[in-house]
């Protein structure tokens, strides 16, 4: 079963994501950057959904750290921000995609399927 790591400081959002993907993917969640990095190392995901705006370690910092650990895992940045500069920075740092909140779960499901397949082919 393909593994998704979903990272967001809003537990309610993670609960919705868990409910949606349950049974089709193994879902690992984290509410902070530090916990996300631990999960990334312990159980390498096939795809990561990563919130940018989190207290403490930002999503961009987590993105950089994940890229240093394994550049083949697709990371999809998720945020309420619509600033083009932030999206550009994420893409420069190696993000696979940038998705604004609120996001469509069907679209995220499609992104998970496409990126997880690519990740498996590379790994």
């Amino acid at each position: 079963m393909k593994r998704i790591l979903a990272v967001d400081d809003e537990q309610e959002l993670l609960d919705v994501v868990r409910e949606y993907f349950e049974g089709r993917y193994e879902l690992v969640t984290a509410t902070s950057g530090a916990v996300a990095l631990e999960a990334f190392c312990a159980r390498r995901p096939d795809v990561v959904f990563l919130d940018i705006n989190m207290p403490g370690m930002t999503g961009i910092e987590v993105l950089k750290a994940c890229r240093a650990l394994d550049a083949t895992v697709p990371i999809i940045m998720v945020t309420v921000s619509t600033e083009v500069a932030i999206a550009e920075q994420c893409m420069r740092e190696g993000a696979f995609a940038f998705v604004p909140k609120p996001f469509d779960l069907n679209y995220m499901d499609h992104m998970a399927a496409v990126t997880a397949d690519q990740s498996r082919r590379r790994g």
Side-chain angles (χ1 to χ4, degrees), residues 66-116:
C66 289
R67 284 284 151 258
L69 294 167
D70 185 343
T72 67
V73 176
I75 300 176
I76 299 167
M77 305 304 288
V78 182
T79 186
V80 295
S81 175
T82 56
E83 290 183 41
V84 174
I86 292 174
E88 289 173 347
Q89 181 181 8
C90 291
M91 301 310 283
R92 273 193 314 273
E93 296 296 343
F96 180 84
F98 180 88
V99 179
K101 286 182 186 177
F103 53 81
D104 178 301
L105 285 167
N106 289 321
Y107 178 72
M108 297 301 279
D109 195 3
H110 173 74
M111 294 293 287
V114 168
T115 57

Side-chain angles (χ1 to χ4, degrees), residues 6-109:
V7 185
D8 199 295
D9 60 323
E10 296 178 42
Q11 183 62 52
E12 300 80 23
L13 179 68
L14 293 175
D15 292 342
V16 169
V17 170
R18 176 178 302 284
E19 184 177 317
Y20 183 83
F21 286 104
E22 196 168 46
R24 294 178 294 126
Y25 292 90
E26 179 185 340
L27 187 69
V28 177
T29 62
T31 56
S32 73
V35 173
L37 286 176
E38 288 175 19
F40 188 92
C41 290
R43 307 185 73 205
R44 197 64 43 101
D46 296 295
V47 62
V48 178
F49 296 144
L50 178 57
D51 184 27
I52 292 175
N53 299 316
M54 295 185 297
M57 187 177 215
T58 69
I60 293 174
E61 292 168 325
V62 175
L63 170 64
K64 289 177 183 179
C66 289
R67 284 284 151 258
L69 294 167
D70 185 343
T72 67
V73 176
I75 300 176
I76 299 167
M77 305 304 288
V78 182
T79 186
V80 295
S81 175
T82 56
E83 290 183 41
V84 174
I86 292 174
E88 289 173 347
Q89 181 181 8
C90 291
M91 301 310 283
R92 273 193 314 273
E93 296 296 343
F96 180 84
F98 180 88
V99 179
K101 286 182 186 177
F103 53 81
D104 178 301
L105 285 167
N106 289 321
Y107 178 72
M108 297 301 279
D109 195 3

